[in-house]
């Protein structure tokens, strides 16, 4: 519920059977990982390769605060993932694209008012995965490019079961040319009531 701050390129790992961030984590060009599991294997700290063994479906990782890793990487791994705050992996310098991964073995929820963004002069990538459950998006997800000639980024939302994009949700991958948005349910229904832009 306080502040965790690193210098450029730093690493912040919050790991436990349950993880909640209610404060502000800042690691420019770094990597921020919230991992809720009974076993966590760090494959290589220099990459977002992280293996989390979830042995109970109620292992939960929650972000209610702010995670800022401009031009860096943010990963949240758990049985249940809830993003109710701000996750920002925006870029300041062209080409230094940020990445955000929200990966649940069961369900993922991005609540109303939440902001998940990997925008900047050039755009990054946002991936949301619910391996065996559902995905619900009620907040804002952005991967926009602002530099002339730059393409919008990539946003991928996948779930084994139902995917719901509520009416208040906004998903954008705008740029000089539009990026890519993929919303795919393997065995459930996909309901999109919100706004999706790839301008």
């Amino acid at each position: 519920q306080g502040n965790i701050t690193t210098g450029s390129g730093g690493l912040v790992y919050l790991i436990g059977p349950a993880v909640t961030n209610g404060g502000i984590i800042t690691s420019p060009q770094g990597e921020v990982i919230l991992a809720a599991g009974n076993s966590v294997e760090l494959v290589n700290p220099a990459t977002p390769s992280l293996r989390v063994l979830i042995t109970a479906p109620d292992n939960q990782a929650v972000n209610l605060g702010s995670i800022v890793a401009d031009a860096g990487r943010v990963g949240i791994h758990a049985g249940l993932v809830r993003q109710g705050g701000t996750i920002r992996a925006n870029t300041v310098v062209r080409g230094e694209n940020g990445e955000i991964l929200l990966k649940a073995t069961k369900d993922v929820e991005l609540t109303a008012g939440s902001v998940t963004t990997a925008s900047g002069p050039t755009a990054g990538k946002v991936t949301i995965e619910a391996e065996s459950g559902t995905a619900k998006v009620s907040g804002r997800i952005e991967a926009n490019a602002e530099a002339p000639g730059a393409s919008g980024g990539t946003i991928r939302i996948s779930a084994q079961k139902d995917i719901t994009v509520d009416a208040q949700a906004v998903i954008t991958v705008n740029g000089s040319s539009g990026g890519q948005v993929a919303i795919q349910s393997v065995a459930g229904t996909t309901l999109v009531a919100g706004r999706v832009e790839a301008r």
Side-chain angles (χ1 to χ4, degrees), residues 28-63:
Q29 296 179 305
E31 183 173 52
V32 179
I33 297 288
L34 275 59
N38 294 59
S39 176
V40 176
E41 180 181 351
L42 299 177
V43 180
N44 183 348
T47 72
S49 298
L50 179 77
R51 204 152 44 232
V52 183
L53 178 63
I54 309 293
T55 58
D58 57 350
N59 285 109
Q60 187 170 18
V62 179
N63 177 52

Side-chain angles (χ1 to χ4, degrees), residues 11 36-38 40-41 65 106 124-125 132 136 144 154 158 163 193:
L11 305 174
N38 294 59
V40 176
E41 180 181 351
K106 193 177 179 186
K125 180 178 181 180
S132 67
K136 182 177 181 181
N144 300 320
T154 302
S158 63
I163 298 176

Side-chain angles (χ1 to χ4, degrees), residues 97-150:
N97 298 336
E99 293 185 26
I100 298 171
L101 171 62
L102 308 182
K103 186 173 183 178
T105 57
K106 193 177 179 186
D107 301 332
V108 179
E109 181 180 8
L110 285 75
T111 64
S114 66
V115 178
T116 306
T117 175
S119 298
T122 53
K125 180 178 181 180
V126 179
T127 304
I128 298 165
E129 297 180 13
E131 291 181 329
S132 67
T134 64
K136 182 177 181 181
V137 178
S138 303
R140 177 179 290 271
I141 309 173
E142 300 175 345
N144 300 320
E146 300 159 1

Side-chain angles (χ1 to χ4, degrees), residues 70-81:
D70 287 338
R73 295 182 298 269
V74 177
I76 301 182
H77 306 253
L80 301 169
V81 172

